[in-house]
Amino acid sequence: MSDAVQSTPGAAKSIPAGPKPFAPEDEASLREALKRCSPSTFEAAVQFRKTGNAEHVPAVVIGVIERFVEPDLRAKLKDADDDLRLIEDLGIDSLTMMEIVILVEDVLQMTINNDELRNLRTVGDVKTFIDCKIRGLPLPKPTKFIPIEHIGAVMPIQPPFLFLNEASVSSTAANGKYKITGQEFFLQGHFKDNPVMPASMMLEALGQLAVLYLLEGAPTEPGKMVSAQTIFFTGCEGVRAHRICKPGDVLTLSIKPKRMKMPFAWFEGSIRVGQEKAVMVEEITLTFGFVDAANQPVPINGADHAGSVNGVDASVVTPPMRVAIGG
């Protein structure tokens, strides 16, 4: 397996063939196409067309998406979170998505096949997809949205120590949500008459999301799969807690792999409540190992006919990895 994780979309690279000449009439045409977009979107598009530098692409894509999003939802794009869902969070239907794609095609001078749009479900999917098309890179695997039933079937951690209500996993990141209910066992004493989610448990939640990434999204060697029984937490660095989190808060979790070299995987992570930072972690380290991938029937909605998920018998759950991250 490659020692390094795939380069982050948006890094400073140019189109392999080089940019086409950008004449004054091209700028006028571009201004007309983006007349309903922000000035910063137009400037990013001009710089991309002049230089071919792909670092300008995310600003163009976000700006075009913003132009089609209802005004009361545009605040969600302020930080351009990659886990924002196009339909559920931004209200973008299939017809609107086609309008977005057509404008992006015109602005970036590229062609997108309609069939390629089916797997674009988040802002991150769109940015990564466009970036790969521009660079001539292989398209990444589509984001997988994982319901709580599937999470519980594949994870070694189980309730009441499982802090993921839903998750999505792509080849470059994993995102999840957890609502603090107030019924968590540790809130009975943390603190007296003032329930507050411990920072250590929020780090545990990020660690669990990293575990899910290893099981569902990490690249593997041919004929191999990551074993749930081999994943353990080994450390974290650069932790900053920015916000107290209490019952009723919905934690939005995000992790991105920084590097993988068996038996170690390094991640960066963050937790937000709405647009507010709650916890930021520079590095979370897990250990993992491979096992031979068993020949299983084709899964249907994540589970095969034998009641297993990704080759794991759903009726047999491994003991929970209660390696709470110290805080």
Side-chain angles (χ1 to χ4, degrees):
M1 180 175 60
S2 175
D3 185 33
V5 176
Q6 179 179 339
S7 299
T8 302
K13 293 183 180 179
S14 299
I15 301 179
K20 298 179 181 179
F22 189 67
E25 55 268 27
D26 294 323
E27 182 169 344
S29 176
L30 191 60
R31 187 181 298 276
E32 175 64 21
L34 295 175
K35 63 183 179 182
R36 295 184 182 179
C37 296
S38 66
S40 61
T41 304
F42 171 72
E43 290 301 324
V46 169
Q47 291 303 311
F48 171 76
R49 291 279 290 273
K50 287 182 176 180
T51 67
N53 193 329
E55 70 176 1
H56 300 293
V57 170
V60 175
V61 172
I62 293 299
V64 171
I65 291 175
E66 183 181 35
R67 175 252 184 274
F68 289 93
V69 170
E70 294 296 328
D72 59 333
L73 297 175
R74 290 175 183 171
K76 294 184 177 182
L77 282 167
K78 182 179 180 181
D79 295 327
D81 287 340
D82 286 353
D83 62 328
L84 279 174
R85 297 169 295 182
L86 299 174
I87 297 174
E88 295 87 346
D89 298 328
L90 298 177
I92 296 174
D93 57 28
S94 58
L95 186 60
T96 304
M97 188 63 195
M98 284 296 301
E99 293 184 86
I100 291 172
V101 168
I102 290 171
L103 182 52
V104 168
E105 285 182 320
D106 291 343
V107 170
L108 301 182
Q109 295 188 322
M110 59 186 296
T111 301
I112 299 174
N113 190 309
N114 289 347
D115 291 338
E116 296 174 330
L117 303 180
R118 297 176 180 175
N119 295 321
L120 304 183
R121 297 171 179 167
T122 69
V123 170
D125 287 345
V126 175
K127 290 195 298 185
T128 302
F129 172 79
I130 298 296
D131 186 76
C132 289
K133 290 284 284 187
I134 287 172
R135 299 176 194 274
L137 299 174
L139 298 179
K141 293 181 180 179
T143 297
K144 294 190 293 185
F145 288 84
I146 307 176
I148 183 60
E149 297 81 9
H150 186 83
I151 294 172
V154 302
M155 288 285 283
I157 306 99
Q158 295 291 296
F161 213 70
L162 182 60
F163 305 126
L164 294 172
N165 296 140
E166 63 179 73
S168 62
V169 177
S170 70
S171 59
T172 58
N175 300 284
K177 291 186 183 296
Y178 178 73
K179 183 175 182 178
I180 306 173
T181 66
Q183 302 303 310
E184 290 82 359
F185 63 92
F186 45 78
L187 291 183
Q188 297 176 19
H190 195 280
F191 299 99
K192 182 181 179 181
D193 301 323
N194 181 30
V196 173
M197 183 82 165
S200 59
M201 293 301 182
M202 289 194 283
L203 292 175
E204 169 69 22
L206 282 175
Q208 292 180 8
L209 187 59
V211 171
L212 187 63
Y213 172 84
L214 288 175
L215 294 173
E216 294 290 312
T220 60
E221 298 175 358
K224 299 289 185 179
M225 61 185 293
V226 175
S227 169
Q229 299 183 11
T230 65
I231 306 174
F232 295 96
F233 166 83
T234 64
C236 63
E237 297 181 7
V239 178
R240 294 290 184 272
H242 297 269
R243 185 189 191 279
I244 292 174
C245 296
K246 300 176 70 67
D249 286 339
V250 177
L251 307 182
T252 299
L253 305 101
S254 178
I255 63 97
K256 293 183 179 180
K258 298 171 65 176
R259 185 167 176 255
M260 291 180 62
K261 186 175 178 63
M262 202 180 72
F264 294 105
W266 294 266
F267 301 86
E268 61 182 41
S270 66
I271 299 178
R272 295 177 182 269
V273 177
Q275 297 298 320
E276 299 180 359
K277 293 180 181 178
V279 173
M280 308 297 289
V281 186
E282 294 179 6
E283 191 165 279
I284 296 172
T285 308
L286 302 179
T287 62
F288 70 99
F290 290 130
V291 294
D292 292 332
N295 293 323
Q296 296 291 334
V298 176
I300 300 178
N301 294 328
D304 61 37
H305 298 291
S308 65
V309 182
N310 287 357
V312 178
D313 187 346
S315 66
V316 179
V317 180
T318 55
M321 185 189 72
R322 301 204 175 201
V323 187
I325 303 176

